[in-house]
Amino acid sequence: MAVRSNIVGIDSPEALEKALRAAYYLADEGLATAAYLGLALGKPLLLEGAPGVGKTEAAKAIAAVLGRRLIRLQCYEGIDASAALYEWNYPRQMLAIRQAGDESIDIYGETFLIERPMLAALRAPDSTVLLIDEIDRADQEFEAFLLEFLSDFQISIPERGTVRAAERPVVVLTSNRTRDLHEALRRRCVYHWIDYPTAEREARIIMMRASSVAESTARAVVAAVEKLRREPLSKAPGIAEAVDWAEAATLLHKGGARWPDAFKRSIGVALKDEEDLHFISPRLDAVLAGATA
């Protein structure tokens, strides 16, 4: 295995953590180490965690640090190889055949090939980061299809032959763990579980992402969302919702709303489900009173 000890000037997990911080992403030691090892060993990075903990943002930050284009493959139930690899432009092929008449024409040429995320990453491994987002939403057949790709970083196009990456591409997979992933997929990756950040780290994230928010407001939001995450909600507020809530409440406060009324009036930025709002409404005053005390 070829080990890349230095990646664009990053020669340690600590150096990567500093670079990610400069890209406005606060990674803890565990995530920085896993990401560095994935880059150095040329292995995919598998990030698991609850929705909203920053898995996709981590991939975006890694791409920013490397100075590469992020290619995102959003997984869903029923996704197949044509959506992930390539498709042929059949209307254009048919038109070319009609226009060619009796002349021969290669309808499997480059101009007829529609490039999808995985093929794009194979063709430009030195300038892209491939994000395979929410792999747990795809079915097990698609997961099995990924195994060869993640092992050899090559695909076969029957009409054109095998496409191999000139070097190992940077690949990040995310999972919300709505189902267990196959052990064979996990073995091919460097794994890291991302949990919700500590209160101190989340307050720092809010102030970093929302520069107009006061520290007291950030800490109040963190205290409130921590309480909301302990409630049986269908969609607990993630880090992005915490940042948005802090910004929204600050905006209302600057417009004349008092605390904690500014938090209460902007609750729709943090909770985005009607049943969740109905459930928490009777106790929202108590949640906010404790958070802003």
Side-chain angles (χ1 to χ4, degrees), residues 235-252:
K235 176 62 175 72
I239 298 173
E241 283 78 20
V243 173
D244 289 345
W245 196 12
E247 285 188 308
T250 298
L251 183 63
L252 291 181

Side-chain angles (χ1 to χ4, degrees), residues 174-251:
T174 71
S175 168
N176 295 330
R177 208 166 189 176
T178 58
R179 67 172 179 85
D180 287 334
L181 301 179
H182 196 282
E183 185 62 28
L185 180 66
R186 294 179 180 274
R187 285 200 304 268
R188 286 161 171 77
C189 303
V190 175
Y191 176 83
H192 183 68
W193 172 268
I194 299 184
D195 208 344
Y196 286 114
T198 63
E200 179 66 28
R201 182 178 293 273
E202 189 161 15
R204 288 171 58 199
I205 292 172
I206 291 174
M207 287 185 288
M208 173 184 285
R209 293 278 180 148
S211 58
S212 62
V213 172
E215 181 176 353
S216 58
T217 302
R219 294 188 180 281
V221 167
V222 169
V225 296
E226 282 188 334
K227 292 183 178 181
L228 292 174
R229 287 168 185 162
R230 291 194 290 267
E231 298 287 344
L233 303 174
S234 61
K235 176 62 175 72
I239 298 173
E241 283 78 20
V243 173
D244 289 345
W245 196 12
E247 285 188 308
T250 298
L251 183 63

Side-chain angles (χ1 to χ4, degrees), residues 19-98:
L20 290 172
R21 191 184 312 137
Y24 297 98
Y25 188 90
L26 288 182
D28 60 17
E29 181 182 9
L31 175 56
T33 301
Y36 172 75
L37 291 176
L39 293 172
L41 299 175
K43 284 181 168 291
L45 175 64
L46 172 58
L47 301 177
E48 275 196 322
V53 295
K55 303 182 294 296
T56 300
E57 289 300 316
K60 293 178 180 179
I62 290 171
V65 166
L66 297 178
R68 299 186 177 191
R69 176 170 63 99
L70 182 75
I71 302 176
R72 181 175 181 175
L73 174 61
Q74 178 62 54
C75 295
Y76 53 87
E77 185 177 355
I79 189 174
D80 58 11
S82 63
L85 289 175
Y86 69 92
E87 285 185 292
W88 291 111
N89 191 330
Y90 293 114
R92 190 168 185 176
Q93 286 175 322
M94 294 300 101
L95 179 61
I97 291 172
R98 287 197 297 269

Side-chain angles (χ1 to χ4, degrees), residues 162-176:
T162 300
V163 179
R164 295 182 178 86
E167 63 180 71
R168 284 181 169 262
V170 177
V171 181
V172 180
L173 300 93
T174 71
S175 168
N176 295 330

Side-chain angles (χ1 to χ4, degrees), residues 101-144:
D102 295 332
E103 297 180 7
S104 63
I105 182 173
D106 179 12
I107 61 171
Y108 296 110
E110 183 67 28
T111 57
F112 303 105
L113 185 64
I114 301 175
E115 196 176 67
R116 297 305 185 197
M118 290 170 63
L119 178 58
L122 287 184
R123 286 176 147 183
D126 59 342
S127 61
T128 60
V129 172
L130 175 62
L131 168 60
I132 304 176
D133 214 9
E134 297 183 318
I135 181 61
D136 53 319
R137 289 194 174 191
D139 53 33
Q140 293 183 348
E141 288 76 10
F142 182 77
E143 187 179 335

